[in-house]
Amino acid sequence: MIERGSFLYVFSEDGCAYGPDIHVAHERVFETESHHLDGEALSFVAELTSPATRNNDLTEKVEVYGRAGVPVYLLLDMQEEQATVLWTPSAKGYESRTTRPFGEKLPIPAPFDCLLDTAGFKAP
């Protein structure tokens, strides 16, 4: 199930929780009254940077999502106008990444195996 906003995913090993801009998790994780969900249930996260969140999105969240085993992390860097996809989660974050400037297509790896057209992300 693809969702956006209003949920906090808890990463108990790191002692933090995030509310990703866009997230994908199995629908069974949403079978609760709580808005605090298990971060390890995520299979995809996308974050859009802002001046206030950019540093966390590029550093801390890369490490936390990777350690939690989130298979794919998509980072849309609105300040640099580029998209980065990270995969192959590990204890240190992610082992694999690809970056493309907005306007180019970005391959999104398994389990999604698709091509993201970022042309619409470019500032006019």
Side-chain angles (χ1 to χ4, degrees):
M1 173 178 276
I2 298 175
E3 290 286 337
R4 69 178 283 286
S6 79
F7 290 101
L8 273 179
Y9 286 91
V10 177
F11 300 89
S12 54
E13 285 188 27
D14 288 287
C16 61
Y18 299 124
D21 294 321
I22 300 170
H23 47 97
V24 177
H26 193 280
E27 47 185 315
R28 74 175 170 269
V29 77
F30 300 102
E31 294 172 356
T32 179
E33 300 280 324
S34 177
H35 287 278
H36 294 97
L37 306 175
D38 180 7
E40 293 184 9
L42 288 162
S43 57
F44 175 89
V45 169
E47 298 281 9
L48 286 74
T49 66
S50 71
T53 66
R54 187 171 185 272
N55 188 51
N56 259 1
D57 293 337
L58 293 169
T59 59
E60 184 178 317
K61 290 180 182 180
V62 170
E63 293 174 13
V64 172
Y65 292 149
R67 276 194 298 267
V70 178
V72 178
Y73 177 29
L74 175 63
L75 183 60
L76 301 174
D77 190 333
M78 307 310 286
Q79 289 66 48
E80 293 294 322
E81 295 190 352
Q82 63 185 14
T84 300
V85 64
L86 299 102
W87 71 101
T88 317
S90 74
K92 295 181 180 181
Y94 288 90
E95 295 177 14
S96 305
R97 73 174 51 213
T98 299
T99 300
R100 298 281 190 277
F102 287 173
E104 292 187 13
K105 292 185 166 85
L106 178 70
I108 305 297
F112 300 95
D113 289 320
C114 63
L115 201 56
L116 176 66
D117 184 354
T118 66
F121 301 151
K122 262 187 131 165

